[in-house]
Amino acid sequence: MTNYLALMTAVTALFAGACSAAENPAPQAAPPAPVAAKPAATGPAANPAAHVSAAPAGTSSGGAHFVQAPGTGSLTFSFMQAGAENQGMFRQFATELDYDARNPTAGSLKVTVQTGSLDTQDKDRNDGLASADLLDVNKYPTAQYVANSFAKRAVGKLTLHGVTRDLRIPLELRVAGANYELSGAVTLKRLDFGIGQGDLQATDWVGNEVKVRYKVPLVRSK
């Protein structure tokens, strides 16, 4: 069970995001201009404030709806087991962002993750994590993060394994050609979401913390 427990910490990742499949609209108008450019941080954790880079040339301010570009994005996780770092990913997740640079506190973000899409490069481990003993993907097929403010960071709630908790996530919104790229990182605790009860609550062999990292190209849909 230690391998299953180790990988189970990954499940708490969905922030990071996140996913029922997003619609795949073709990019239309370029995205709105952010309020102001800020220096690039060494990473999302280094700068807890939401960071928005300068807008692409020719764009104007105003609210807009963005979705994850089809076939793109990464949602990865890492955790400690027996003193060694292990990694995994979710292959299916979707992102929706509403953002107005003139009123960032009114923005919203929704990231939905298909829990059964976890990939640890080992079929037996994947099957164990998906079972009713751990992730129980039949009962909880998705995890979802919903935020309704971007004043300094994404402020919202993560629902995972039937448990909903408040979660603030540092984010960066960067220009990517005529569109944007959303990225960030956050550390979660698997036990906060009831993942690993009884003997599985022990953290001496498998750590409680899970680091989640995400990077998502966004295209304007309307």
Side-chain angles (χ1 to χ4, degrees):
M1 290 299 295
T2 56
N3 283 336
Y4 295 156
L5 173 58
L7 268 275
M8 195 53 217
T9 61
V11 176
T12 60
L14 14 92
F15 78 16
C19 305
S20 56
E23 296 182 357
N24 300 327
Q28 298 179 13
V35 174
K38 295 184 180 179
T42 57
N47 179 9
H51 172 76
V52 183
S53 60
T59 61
S60 59
S61 297
H65 183 72
F66 300 86
V67 297
Q68 187 169 330
T72 67
S74 65
L75 177 57
T76 64
F77 55 83
S78 63
F79 57 92
M80 298 300 296
Q81 178 185 6
E85 185 177 66
N86 294 268
Q87 298 183 349
M89 69 178 69
F90 288 95
R91 293 192 175 277
Q92 296 177 22
F93 68 103
T95 305
E96 295 182 58
L97 172 69
D98 286 292
Y99 184 75
D100 184 346
R102 298 171 301 184
N103 187 18
T105 58
S108 66
L109 171 69
K110 181 169 72 173
V111 182
T112 307
V113 180
Q114 301 296 327
T115 56
S117 73
L118 65 90
D119 186 1
T120 66
Q121 304 300 310
D122 185 291
K123 184 180 184 302
D124 289 339
R125 286 196 303 250
N126 292 349
D127 291 343
L129 288 171
S131 72
D133 292 334
L134 294 172
L135 182 58
D136 199 355
V137 299
N138 290 327
K139 186 174 182 180
Y140 307 110
T142 63
Q144 190 170 82
Y145 179 68
V146 178
N148 56 15
S149 174
F150 287 90
K152 293 184 177 180
R153 64 187 74 189
V155 179
K157 295 180 181 294
L158 172 63
T159 299
L160 173 66
H161 199 248
V163 177
T164 300
R165 286 186 172 272
D166 292 335
L167 182 64
R168 298 186 177 211
I169 303 179
L171 294 173
E172 280 193 278
L173 188 61
R174 296 176 179 269
V175 171
N179 295 292
Y180 284 102
E181 178 184 83
L182 182 67
S183 63
V186 68
T187 298
L188 306 172
K189 294 183 178 180
R190 62 180 176 85
L191 295 178
D192 286 349
F193 296 90
I195 298 171
Q197 296 299 303
D199 291 341
L200 299 180
Q201 288 181 309
T203 59
D204 51 344
W205 178 253
V206 177
N208 188 28
E209 293 187 345
V210 181
K211 296 179 180 179
V212 181
R213 296 177 176 84
Y214 42 93
K215 181 180 291 186
V216 181
L218 299 168
V219 294
R220 186 168 178 169
S221 66
K222 61 181 179 179

